[in-house]
Amino acid sequence: MKNNLGLIVMDSIKEVGLKVEKELNRFLKTNENYIIPTKIIRFANGEGKAEILQTVRDKEIYILTDINNYSITYNMFGFENHYSPDNHYQDVKRIILAMCGHAKKITVVMPFLYQSRQHRRKSRESLDCAHALQELKRMNVDTIITFDVHDPDIINAIPLGKLENFYANNNILEAIVEEHDITSSNTIIISPDFGAMERARYFAEMLQVEVGVFYKRRDLSKIVNGKNPVIEHAYMGADVKNKNAIVVDDMIASGGSSVEVAENLKERGANKIFIASTFCLFTEGIDFIKKAYKEKIFDKVYTTNLSYLPKEIKKERLIKVVDCSKDLAEVIYYGYMNKSMAPLLDNKTRFFEELEKIRTRKKGK
C-alpha cells in the first residue's frame, strides 16, 4: 500500500479540508494525519511568502484552495484587506515554490476554477484562465481538479495537461428529491440561459422530466458591472403552470438573474420554485435574496460547500448547503491510487440507485 499522500489545505478551505482528510482515512483504511502544516506570511507592504512546516519529499501532494473565500484578510499599510481570487491563486503558487521541487507529484484542487469567467477573449481582453492553467503546468503541476467549470472547453488551453472537471449535480438532485415530491409529471427543469442548457438537460434526463430555457435579451449599448444588462427574459419551452420548477446554473453571482427568472415563472403559474447552483457567491450580499424569499418568489436555494458561504447565510431557511467533502475525497483517492476516473465522471448509474433508495425510504415513512 502506498504511503506518501500529503494534503496542503489552504486557510480558505479548512473546514472542507478536515472532512476530506477524514474521508480519505476511511477510503484508505488508515488513521493518518495527511494534512501538512503550512504558513502564509504577509509583510506590512502587502508582499507575502509561504512556508511548509513538514517535509514533502517524494510525496504526492494535493493542494486544496477556495479562491472565492473573501473572509480571509491581511494588513497592508495599516489597512485591512480582504482576499480576492488573485490573492488565493498567488498563495497557491507560493506553496508550490516553497516545495523546492521535492514533491513527487503535485495536484491543485480548485473547486471554483480561478478566472473561469474570463475563459475566452473578445478583442483586446486578457485571457486569464488559460494563462493561469498554462502557468500551473509550467510549475510542474501534474493535474488540476475542478468542479462545474464555467466553460469545459477551457481544457484546450493545456492540450498536454490534465484538467479534471467534476460535477455536483447528483448531490444537489438527491437533496431536492429527499425534501420534495418530485415526479416526471409535476416537475420541469429550467435553464436561465442557453449557456446552462447542457446542465439543464442533464437534470431533466436524470429526473425524466421536461426542460425549458430563457433567452436573455441584453442592452448591448450599456455595460454595468462588466456586463451588458439583461432587459428581458424570454421563455421557450413546455408550460410551467402548476409544476415545480428547478432553475439550474453553475453559479449564482448576485442572484439577480435567478430571482428575475423565478419571478417570470411565478407569473406563468409555477408551483414551487427551486434554484440549484454548485456555487453561490451572493456578491451583493444576502438581503436581496432574503427579500425575494420572504415575498415567496422562490422556495429554496440548493448549493454546495465547494465555495465559501458565511455562517449567517448557511443558517437561513432559504438555503440548503449540500456537503460534497466525500466526493472531493473520492476524487483525490482515485487520483492517488491511480484508478480510472471514469466512474466518477459518468455516475448516472450511481444516481439512479440512490434515487431509488430515497424514494423507497420516503414510501416507508
Side-chain angles (χ1 to χ4, degrees):
M1 172 68 77
K2 296 169 64 177
N3 190 28
N4 65 338
L5 174 63
L7 301 179
I8 292 181
V9 180
M10 308 301 288
D11 288 341
S12 59
I13 199 168
K14 283 290 185 187
E15 184 179 339
V16 171
L18 290 170
K19 292 180 179 179
V20 167
E21 182 185 48
K22 183 178 179 180
E23 291 293 342
L24 281 169
N25 271 303
R26 188 173 63 84
F27 286 133
L28 293 165
K29 297 181 174 59
T30 56
N31 187 26
E32 299 284 341
N33 293 320
Y34 290 115
I35 296 178
I36 295 171
T38 60
K39 186 187 296 183
I40 299 293
I41 298 168
R42 300 301 290 247
F43 301 106
N45 70 338
E47 292 180 319
K49 69 175 182 178
E51 290 184 13
I52 296 177
L53 308 179
Q54 184 178 309
T55 183
V56 297
R57 190 177 297 274
D58 294 327
K59 287 185 178 290
E60 295 190 22
I61 300 297
Y62 289 78
I63 305 171
L64 280 67
T65 184
D66 175 8
I67 60 108
N68 284 322
N69 190 338
Y70 57 88
S71 71
I72 309 294
T73 61
Y74 66 97
N75 288 316
M76 185 174 72
F77 292 101
F79 295 96
E80 183 180 63
N81 294 274
H82 288 261
Y83 259 54
S84 72
D86 292 344
N87 295 124
H88 288 297
Y89 176 62
Q90 188 66 30
D91 280 353
V92 168
K93 293 192 292 181
R94 290 184 175 116
I95 287 291
I96 296 171
L97 292 171
M99 292 184 202
C100 303
H102 293 310
K104 181 180 180 181
K105 177 182 173 183
I106 301 172
T107 298
V108 172
V109 182
M110 191 181 289
F112 189 103
L113 187 63
Y114 174 69
Q115 286 292 83
S116 57
R117 299 174 75 183
Q118 188 55 24
H119 56 98
R120 59 187 176 188
R121 177 159 50 198
K122 297 178 181 177
S123 186
R124 295 173 180 172
E125 293 181 341
S126 56
L127 198 54
D128 300 66
C129 189
H131 178 267
L133 293 176
Q134 292 172 2
E135 185 175 34
L136 291 175
K137 177 66 178 172
R138 289 193 297 270
M139 295 180 78
N140 291 325
V141 171
D142 180 81
T143 306
I144 300 157
I145 293 173
T146 191
F147 277 75
D148 214 340
V149 69
H150 193 61
D151 183 356
D153 288 341
I154 194 63
I155 192 174
N156 295 319
I158 47 171
L160 298 180
K162 301 174 188 174
L163 174 64
E164 301 286 4
N165 179 37
F166 298 91
Y167 291 89
N169 296 340
N170 289 3
N171 307 64
I172 293 174
L173 278 171
E174 288 165 14
I176 295 173
V177 173
E178 185 77 61
E179 295 186 348
H180 305 281
D181 179 28
I182 302 296
T183 68
S184 58
S185 61
N186 74 356
T187 304
I188 186 169
I189 304 298
I190 301 295
S191 176
D193 54 39
F194 285 103
M197 192 59 188
E198 185 175 345
R199 182 177 296 99
R201 288 178 62 184
Y202 178 86
F203 271 60
E205 181 183 350
M206 292 297 96
L207 294 177
Q208 299 177 335
V209 301
E210 292 185 289
V211 64
V213 61
F214 279 89
Y215 168 68
K216 291 181 180 179
R217 190 162 69 87
R218 296 181 179 272
D219 185 348
L220 302 180
S221 67
K222 299 178 182 177
I223 295 180
V224 179
N225 294 329
K227 297 185 296 185
N228 300 112
V230 177
I231 55 178
E232 181 189 9
H233 287 89
Y235 177 69
M236 291 177 283
D239 190 5
V240 302
K241 190 172 182 179
N242 297 324
K243 288 190 175 182
N244 299 319
I246 304 176
V247 182
V248 302
D249 210 345
D250 61 331
M251 72 168 187
I252 295 173
S254 67
S257 291
S258 298
V259 170
E260 287 175 12
V261 166
E263 286 178 320
N264 194 306
L265 292 170
K266 275 294 182 188
E267 291 172 1
R268 294 173 183 273
N271 183 22
K272 292 183 178 179
I273 299 174
F274 310 114
I275 300 171
S277 178
T278 304
F279 307 106
C280 283
L281 308 185
F282 297 128
T283 54
E284 303 297 325
I286 193 67
D287 290 344
F288 174 72
I289 294 292
K290 286 171 67 175
K291 181 175 181 291
Y293 176 72
K294 288 180 180 178
E295 293 174 354
K296 302 186 184 303
I297 293 173
F298 69 91
D299 292 85
K300 205 163 199 175
V301 173
Y302 288 83
T303 188
T304 74
N305 64 339
L306 293 174
S307 188
Y308 171 74
L309 280 171
K311 290 182 180 178
E312 58 269 23
I313 293 179
K314 290 191 282 189
K315 292 178 182 177
E316 293 286 341
R317 294 182 61 185
L318 64 88
I319 193 166
K320 169 77 172 182
V321 181
V322 180
D323 189 355
C324 293
S325 305
K326 180 181 175 182
D327 303 80
L328 198 51
E330 192 171 27
V331 169
I332 294 172
Y333 169 70
Y334 270 65
Y336 176 61
M337 298 303 294
N338 200 28
K339 300 175 69 172
S340 170
M341 296 283 190
L344 306 182
L345 292 167
D346 184 13
N347 52 3
K348 292 181 180 179
T349 301
R350 184 188 297 187
F351 171 74
F352 286 127
E353 290 174 353
E354 190 60 33
L355 185 62
E356 187 61 31
K357 289 179 185 177
I358 293 171
R359 286 175 171 166
T360 300
R361 187 166 58 248
K362 290 174 73 174
K363 285 180 181 178
K365 289 184 178 179

